[in-house]
């Protein structure tokens, strides 16, 4: 902004000054001239003070760190007064798409001559993703609040807001019904997992490269891997629904974001265990996304996917059906959906019949009503349509992921 602009009070003062000048011209007199002079002097002084209120002030960004959705973090600013004059407090405003209002404003205190300060600007991010930051706008004015002046500073940066992670006390990891065996009927494990060495065998898709047995591979002329007992193996499948038609009404606190948090929390918990994890979801740009490997090794990749994941047009039934083709024997399957149909129920029951242990988290949009100002959130109860067998853990905005998974009442097996 080139020139200072009047506020509402300033507009009244400007009109009063013009009226006083007009009266002094029409009715020449000492009193009218004095009144007109005083009003004009106040108006001109306020305008000049506002016009130069931001002169000599410079700002710069502090270190921009990544944030976690729902947890406060700082976006610091360093403000410097390069003049030998005192400066009034100013307001720093910035467009922050990850905030509910989209704009964040903070007051920067008054500055002494050649003084500086650090404005911490503690912010609560509510949306995940990668967000470019561009300009910061400073607003100041005269001491009487009659005129205001703004100035924009181009300070590009980028903030990454990762999904929220709920600390989990336990998670069901073992499938006692798993029955993988070799030709002699002995239990088989998977390469790269567990602790009890069993033997070597040819490489299978999904085995870890670090489990390759190089001497045996050289001797047999094909890739051989080390195998471990099945009783020490945890293989977890995690399937996340992303269907846009099933997402709730609030753009921030909806069932899709709830399942994103659940998937991130489960992944974070598994990364501290020695287990294999396979993650499935659907992206509108890339189709079916699949990450497979040691849970600790692929944690960052899954978190990157969850940070950027947007709703898609895929059906959860198609996603589950495609994912089932890649399941290893005896896996524990976590299915996170926003809808429940008879077709989905039949697929989950088929998993159970094939020896998989299914944990179904169901988050219907009716359980996540929109957040209205000064209005309580009222949840419409809904019962999923299933084909019997697998029963869901039904989520709502009243229950976080840790509480929901605690309801399984299944202790974690080390």
């Amino acid at each position: 902004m080139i020139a200072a602009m009047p506020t509402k009070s300033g507009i009244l003062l400007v009109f009063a000054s013009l009226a006083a000048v007009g009266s002094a011209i029409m009715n020449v007199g000492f009193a009218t001239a004095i009144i007109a002079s005083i009003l004009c002097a106040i108006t001109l002084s306020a305008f000049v003070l506002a016009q130069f209120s931001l002169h000599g002030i410079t700002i710069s960004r502090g270190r921009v760190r990544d944030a976690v959705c729902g947890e406060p973090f700082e976006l610091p600013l360093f403000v410097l007064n390069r003049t030998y004059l005192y400066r009034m407090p100013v307001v720093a405003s910035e467009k922050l798409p990850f905030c509910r209002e989209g704009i964040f404003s903070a007051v920067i205190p008054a500055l002494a001559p050649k003084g500086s300060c650090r404005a911490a600007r503690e912010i609560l991010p509510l949306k995940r993703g990668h967000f470019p930051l561009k300009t910061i706008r400073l607003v100041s004015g005269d001491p009487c609040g009659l005129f205001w002046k703004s100035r924009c500073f181009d300070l590009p940066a980028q903030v990454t807001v990762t999904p929220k992670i709920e600390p989990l006390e336990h998670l069901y990891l073992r499938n006692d019904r798993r029955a993988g065996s070799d030709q002699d009927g002995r239990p088989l494990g998977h390469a790269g997992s567990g602790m009890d060495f069993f033997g070597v065998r040819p490489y299978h898709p999904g085995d870890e490269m670090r489990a390759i047995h190089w001497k045996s591979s050289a001797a047999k002329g094909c890739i051989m891997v080390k195998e471990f007992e099945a009783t020490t193996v945890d293989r977890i499948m995690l399937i996340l629904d992303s269907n846009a038609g099933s997402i709730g009404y609030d753009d921030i606190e909806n069932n899709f974001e709830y399942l994103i948090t659940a998937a991130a929390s489960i992944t974070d918990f598994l990364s501290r265990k020695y287990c294999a994890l396979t993650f499935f979801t659907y992206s509108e740009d890339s189709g079916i996304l699949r990450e497979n490997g040691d849970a600790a090794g692929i944690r960052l990749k899954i978190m990157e996917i969850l940070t950027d994941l947007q709703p898609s047009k895929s059906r959860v039934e198609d996603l589950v059906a495609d994912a089932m083709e890649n399941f290893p024997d005896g896996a524990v399957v976590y299915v996170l959906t926003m809808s429940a149909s008879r077709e989905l129920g039949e697929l989950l029951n088929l998993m159970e019949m094939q020896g998989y242990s299914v944990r179904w988290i169901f988050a219907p949009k009716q359980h996540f009503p929109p957040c209205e100002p000064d209005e309580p959130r009222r949840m419409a109860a809904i019962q999923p349509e299933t084909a019997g067998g697998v029963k869901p853990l039904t989520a709502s905005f009243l229950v976080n992921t840790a509480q929901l998974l605690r309801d399984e009442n299944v202790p974690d097996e080390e």
Side-chain angles (χ1 to χ4, degrees), residues 19-343:
V21 170
S23 299
I25 293 174
M26 298 297 297
N27 301 301
V28 180
F30 180 77
T32 55
I34 289 295
I35 293 174
S37 299
I38 293 174
L39 290 176
C40 289
I42 294 174
T43 303
L44 182 60
S45 300
F47 174 81
V48 172
L49 289 173
Q51 182 67 24
F52 292 97
S53 60
L54 296 176
H55 177 69
I57 292 181
T58 59
I59 62 172
S60 60
R61 289 190 188 276
R63 184 178 179 183
V64 178
R65 302 178 182 271
D66 292 345
V68 177
C69 193
E71 296 184 7
F73 81 113
E74 288 188 355
L75 269 181
L77 289 178
F78 293 96
V79 187
L80 172 65
N81 175 18
R82 296 185 289 108
T83 70
Y84 291 95
L85 302 174
Y86 284 93
R87 291 302 183 193
M88 290 179 52
V90 300
V91 176
S93 299
E94 185 175 10
K95 291 183 179 180
L96 300 178
F98 46 82
C99 296
R100 181 178 287 275
E101 298 80 9
I103 296 179
F104 184 83
S105 299
V107 177
I108 297 174
L111 297 172
K114 294 293 182 176
S116 63
C117 74
R118 179 184 183 273
R121 296 202 305 164
E122 188 173 273
I123 299 166
L124 182 67
L126 298 177
K127 295 181 180 180
R128 58 188 170 76
H130 299 279
F131 301 96
L133 305 182
K134 298 180 180 179
T135 60
I136 297 178
R137 184 184 183 214
L138 294 187
V139 179
S140 186
D142 64 277
C144 297
L146 301 175
F147 289 84
W148 63 277
K149 175 73 181 291
S150 69
R151 182 182 175 189
C152 291
F153 295 82
D154 188 17
L155 300 173
Q158 180 165 302
V159 170
T160 298
V161 182
T162 58
K164 182 180 180 181
I165 296 176
E166 296 281 357
L168 302 181
E169 297 177 0
H170 67 79
L171 199 63
Y172 190 90
L173 300 181
R174 298 291 178 83
N175 184 356
D176 297 332
R177 299 184 303 166
R178 137 179 78 189
S181 61
D182 65 2
Q183 59 184 0
D184 297 324
R186 295 178 297 177
L188 293 180
H190 295 272
S193 299
M195 297 180 63
D196 299 332
F197 180 73
F198 182 78
V200 295
R201 60 165 172 80
Y203 172 83
H204 293 161
D207 292 336
E208 299 176 27
M209 297 301 294
R210 67 181 180 180
I212 294 177
H213 195 278
W214 295 106
K215 291 184 179 180
S216 298
S217 300
K220 293 184 176 293
C222 63
I223 299 179
M224 303 294 291
V225 294
K226 292 177 285 187
E227 190 172 45
F228 298 85
E229 293 288 350
T231 54
T232 65
V233 176
D234 299 322
R235 296 190 69 85
I236 314 298
M237 306 290 115
L238 179 58
I239 304 174
L240 174 62
D241 179 15
S242 63
N243 180 259
S246 304
I247 297 179
Y249 313 102
D250 194 90
D251 61 340
I252 295 178
E253 299 183 35
N254 56 52
N255 52 341
F256 183 52
E257 297 302 324
Y258 184 97
L259 292 185
I260 291 284
T261 297
S265 302
I266 292 173
T267 300
D268 181 72
F269 179 88
L270 295 177
S271 68
R272 300 190 297 273
K273 305 293 182 180
Y274 196 89
C275 64
L277 172 63
T278 305
F279 174 73
F280 298 93
T281 191
Y282 191 91
S283 168
E284 197 65 40
D285 297 330
S286 307
I288 292 181
L289 299 177
R290 179 176 181 266
E291 289 293 339
N292 176 60
D294 178 70
I298 64 172
R299 179 187 182 278
L300 289 179
K301 293 182 179 179
I302 294 178
M303 289 300 176
E304 289 175 3
I305 292 174
L306 295 177
T307 297
D308 294 325
L309 188 64
Q310 297 299 317
S312 67
K313 298 179 182 178
S314 69
R315 295 174 66 245
V316 64
E317 294 83 2
D318 296 335
L319 176 63
V320 171
D322 289 337
M324 286 178 63
E325 299 178 0
N326 298 276
F327 286 179
D329 293 336
V332 176
V333 185
Y334 279 86
V335 183
L336 283 55
T337 75
M338 296 178 286
S339 62
S341 64
R342 182 164 294 274
E343 181 182 353

